[in-house]
Amino acid sequence: MNSAAQNIFILNKGRQERASACTGCTKQSSCPVADLESASPPVQRVIQAGKTAYEAGDRFGGIYIVRSGFLKSYAIDTDGVVQVTGFHLPGEFFGMDGIETGQYGDHVEALDTSSVCRIPLELFNGTSRTAKEGAGTEQAQPLMLTLVKLMSRTISGDRNMFFTLGKMSARRRFGAFLKDLSERMAKSGYSGETFTLCMSRTDIANYLCVALETVSRLFTQLHAEGAISIDRRQLRLRDTAALLRDDPPKRDRLRVTG
Amino acid sequence: MNSAAQNIFILNKGRQERASACTGCTKQSSCPVADLESASPPVQRVIQAGKTAYEAGDRFGGIYIVRSGFLKSYAIDTDGVVQVTGFHLPGEFFGMDGIETGQYGDHVEALDTSSVCRIPLELFNGTSRTAKEGAGTEQAQPLMLTLVKLMSRTISGDRNMFFTLGKMSARRRFGAFLKDLSERMAKSGYSGETFTLCMSRTDIANYLCVALETVSRLFTQLHAEGAISIDRRQLRLRDTAALLRDDPPKRDRLRVTG
DNA sequence: CGAACGATTGACCGGCATCAAACTCGGTGG
DNA sequence: CCACCGAGTTTGATGCCGGTCAATCGTTCG
């Protein structure tokens, strides 16, 4: 509902003429565009929980990187049906689906106060090169190619969702989701074992395409089996292998011999 | 099982030193790389039905364009479960998911004898520009940006699959599939109303993540409702609007007044 | 304290998977 | 020419997962 223009902008540009938003960013070491000289520097921006980074139909203004916080993206079809299409953790990218049409295809909303970096597409257009990717052994490559690789990974990831959404039971979908989230939390610098779910049960259910009640039942069930601990939104993974199983473990110990 | 290397190669290069595979291609007008001068020209290749263009794990050798024929792509997970991830018609692209990792992530098999063009990534790397895209009003742009836009569209399309797979009933999924196929057939130069399904019921079922029997029943059901005609693999769409509905139309005419 | 919202839990039932069997069609060999 | 076979498809019968409806509970906030 709110236009992205209403959000708070923090333009580091204001202070020093050529300073980029990257000054002091803790993610510089893994960022492909950090400290790059350009007429179109990245723009840092803080988004309060519940506010959107952009909305579907907004004019494409660049690729986004999450510096801190937690966001969800979702689309609304012609009938008004909502589909959560992803969650975004620090270090991850979003907004790539807007390049071709010139406008973003989904809405992205902060679930927690978040800091993001918007990287204008022009920044990839130049002849600048980076050697950060892949930690050294590869040769320097133009930034546009970095973007292409990034999008290639996104496509691969989306294809994996075919398996998850189509072939798996609700339980395995849910378990795979928790495991994926855990790994990405770890990659973002958090604990992969114990973390807080920033999204509601409704968001999880929508994302996994199951009923809200099913998600609730699955939390309860996995907790009862000892695979996780869950209290409100505080989650702890205890047995990640059990997450990917379909059947609850047989309780052989309860059977008397014979 | 078979390596892509076993497939038949037709290298136009053999005849004239700098001639590309594009000579005589009927799709030149819509192809972003047609007749481009380069040290790495596109490679045309014919693939017999049942043979693969490449397999998962093969070293990435370029983006593919379908010149003629019909192909399917599918992945096999660690448990050996197959998931059909897409079908490819003349004029369409595939293989983009292999860019980042350096090897293709899925298998692509011809369902009918097909002619494809493999475009080395280096071809996009150069400073060559094309103005074909968008039919004129836009300015010339580097080829790499064309590729980025192409991938952006792929990402958007995959995201749409979230809606289809997750939120829709088997019937609507099936209807949406037929409609999508019809539109793409039309875009490829065939009739969008009457065409032959190149894939088996099993492929369709796998792609839509429903049981084979369900697909068969849906063909029968839609035929009975008059929305389609189906005989073996000859399909005719009669009422595309009915395809997207969930419920069979009420037969009010059968009710006597009152 | 009551309202509002999110989450949990229970009861019911319908869509679709699964199991099972028959049918069609093309190919092959006697 | 027909018998036989196998792959692909159709059709029927049955059962279960998960959606839907509904009631209750816990927490937060005005």
Side-chain angles (χ1 to χ4, degrees):
Chain A
M1 324 245 170
N2 295 323
S3 157
Q6 295 183 10
N7 288 298
I8 302 168
F9 278 72
I10 300 183
L11 302 177
N12 286 5
K13 256 170 74 179
R15 299 230 196 140
Q16 312 161 243
E17 191 57 22
R18 292 196 64 83
S20 80
C22 308
T23 311
C25 177
T26 59
K27 302 221 170 276
Q28 283 189 56
S29 60
S30 61
C31 179
V33 299
D35 275 337
L36 210 65
E37 297 281 328
S38 168
S40 317
V43 177
Q44 187 197 352
R45 200 169 136 194
V46 172
I47 303 166
Q48 304 295 334
K51 300 287 184 179
T52 56
Y54 58 72
E55 312 226 335
D58 283 357
R59 195 167 63 81
F60 176 79
I63 313 288
Y64 280 81
I65 306 183
V66 184
R67 289 179 66 157
S68 66
F70 201 98
L71 308 93
K72 75 168 174 183
S73 60
Y74 59 95
I76 305 180
D77 73 2
T78 49
D79 298 330
V81 181
V82 172
Q83 173 64 58
V84 175
T85 51
F87 300 101
H88 311 294
L89 280 63
E92 298 180 350
F93 293 73
F94 61 89
M96 273 100 68
D97 62 335
I99 297 177
E100 195 222 356
T101 57
Q103 48 187 35
Y104 295 108
D106 52 8
H107 308 250
V108 174
E109 175 188 322
L111 295 175
D112 194 1
T113 302
S114 302
S115 169
V116 300
C117 250
R118 193 186 58 191
I119 308 171
L121 195 57
E122 299 88 75
L123 200 51
F124 291 97
N125 249 330
T127 54
S128 311
R129 289 166 177 270
T130 175
K132 285 180 177 176
E133 171 118 346
T137 66
E138 299 183 5
Q139 59 183 0
Q141 51 187 260
L143 269 177
M144 187 65 92
L145 185 55
T146 305
L147 177 59
V148 165
K149 291 193 174 187
L150 184 66
M151 296 176 77
S152 172
R153 189 191 310 173
T154 303
I155 292 174
S156 297
D158 283 1
R159 295 284 158 84
N160 273 335
M161 202 64 192
F162 274 73
F163 281 104
T164 311
L165 269 187
K167 291 274 178 297
M168 291 160 106
S169 64
R171 173 181 168 133
R172 291 180 57 157
R173 235 179 290 178
F174 181 69
F177 166 72
L178 291 185
K179 189 152 185 293
D180 174 64
L181 202 58
S182 159
E183 289 164 358
R184 287 161 61 196
M185 287 297 284
K187 199 173 291 181
S188 294
Y190 299 95
S191 161
E193 193 199 341
T194 309
F195 53 92
T196 301
L197 298 166
C198 291
M199 72 290 274
S200 67
R201 305 284 196 265
T202 305
D203 284 334
I204 298 175
N206 191 292
Y207 176 66
L208 296 176
C209 295
V210 298
L212 155 69
E213 296 91 331
T214 301
V215 168
S216 182
R217 276 183 250 268
L218 285 169
F219 269 124
T220 307
Q221 185 181 336
L222 287 177
H223 184 92
E225 290 170 17
I228 63 171
S229 296
I230 181 76
D231 175 37
R232 300 275 299 151
R233 290 184 180 181
Q234 268 296 322
L235 179 68
R236 173 164 187 179
L237 304 187
R238 297 182 169 278
D239 182 359
T240 54
L243 291 181
L244 302 182
R245 277 199 288 271
D246 229 339
D247 307 306
K250 324 263 187 197
R251 308 189 164 234
D252 300 63
R253 70 193 68 166
L254 288 188
R255 287 188 202 157
V256 189
T257 57
Chain B
M1 324 248 171
N2 294 324
S3 156
Q6 295 183 9
N7 288 297
I8 301 167
F9 279 74
I10 299 182
L11 302 176
N12 285 7
K13 257 171 74 179
R15 300 226 196 145
Q16 310 162 246
E17 190 57 23
R18 292 195 63 83
S20 80
C22 309
T23 310
C25 177
T26 59
K27 304 221 169 275
Q28 283 188 58
S29 60
S30 61
C31 180
V33 298
D35 275 337
L36 210 64
E37 297 281 326
S38 168
S40 318
V43 177
Q44 188 197 351
R45 198 171 139 193
V46 172
I47 303 166
Q48 304 294 334
K51 300 286 186 181
T52 57
Y54 58 74
E55 312 225 334
D58 284 357
R59 196 167 62 81
F60 176 79
I63 313 287
Y64 280 80
I65 307 183
V66 184
R67 289 180 65 158
S68 66
F70 200 97
L71 306 94
K72 74 169 174 183
S73 60
Y74 58 96
I76 304 180
D77 73 2
T78 51
D79 299 331
V81 181
V82 173
Q83 172 64 56
V84 175
T85 51
F87 301 102
H88 310 293
L89 281 65
E92 299 181 348
F93 293 73
F94 62 89
M96 273 101 66
D97 62 336
I99 297 177
E100 195 222 355
T101 58
Q103 49 187 37
Y104 296 109
D106 52 8
H107 309 251
V108 174
E109 175 188 322
L111 295 176
D112 194 2
T113 302
S114 302
S115 169
V116 300
C117 250
R118 194 187 58 189
I119 308 170
L121 196 57
E122 300 86 76
L123 202 51
F124 290 98
N125 249 330
T127 53
S128 310
R129 290 166 177 270
T130 174
K132 286 180 176 174
E133 170 118 347
T137 65
E138 298 184 4
Q139 58 184 359
Q141 52 187 256
L143 269 177
M144 187 64 92
L145 185 56
T146 305
L147 177 59
V148 166
K149 291 192 174 187
L150 185 65
M151 297 176 77
S152 172
R153 190 191 310 171
T154 303
I155 292 175
S156 297
D158 283 0
R159 295 284 159 84
N160 272 336
M161 202 65 192
F162 275 76
F163 280 104
T164 311
L165 269 187
K167 292 272 178 299
M168 290 161 113
S169 65
R171 174 180 169 136
R172 290 180 56 156
R173 236 179 290 178
F174 181 70
F177 166 73
L178 291 185
K179 190 151 184 294
D180 174 65
L181 200 59
S182 159
E183 288 164 358
R184 287 162 60 196
M185 288 296 285
K187 200 174 291 181
S188 292
Y190 299 95
S191 161
E193 191 198 343
T194 309
F195 53 92
T196 302
L197 298 167
C198 291
M199 73 291 274
S200 67
R201 306 284 196 263
T202 305
D203 284 335
I204 298 174
N206 190 293
Y207 176 66
L208 296 176
C209 296
V210 298
L212 155 68
E213 295 91 329
T214 301
V215 168
S216 182
R217 274 183 249 268
L218 285 169
F219 271 123
T220 307
Q221 183 181 339
L222 287 177
H223 184 92
E225 290 171 16
I228 64 172
S229 296
I230 181 75
D231 175 36
R232 302 272 300 149
R233 291 185 179 181
Q234 269 295 323
L235 179 69
R236 172 165 189 179
L237 304 188
R238 296 181 170 278
D239 182 0
T240 53
L243 291 181
L244 302 182
R245 277 198 289 270
D246 229 338
D247 307 307
K250 323 266 186 195
R251 308 187 163 238
D252 300 63
R253 69 194 68 166
L254 290 187
R255 289 188 199 156
V256 189
T257 57

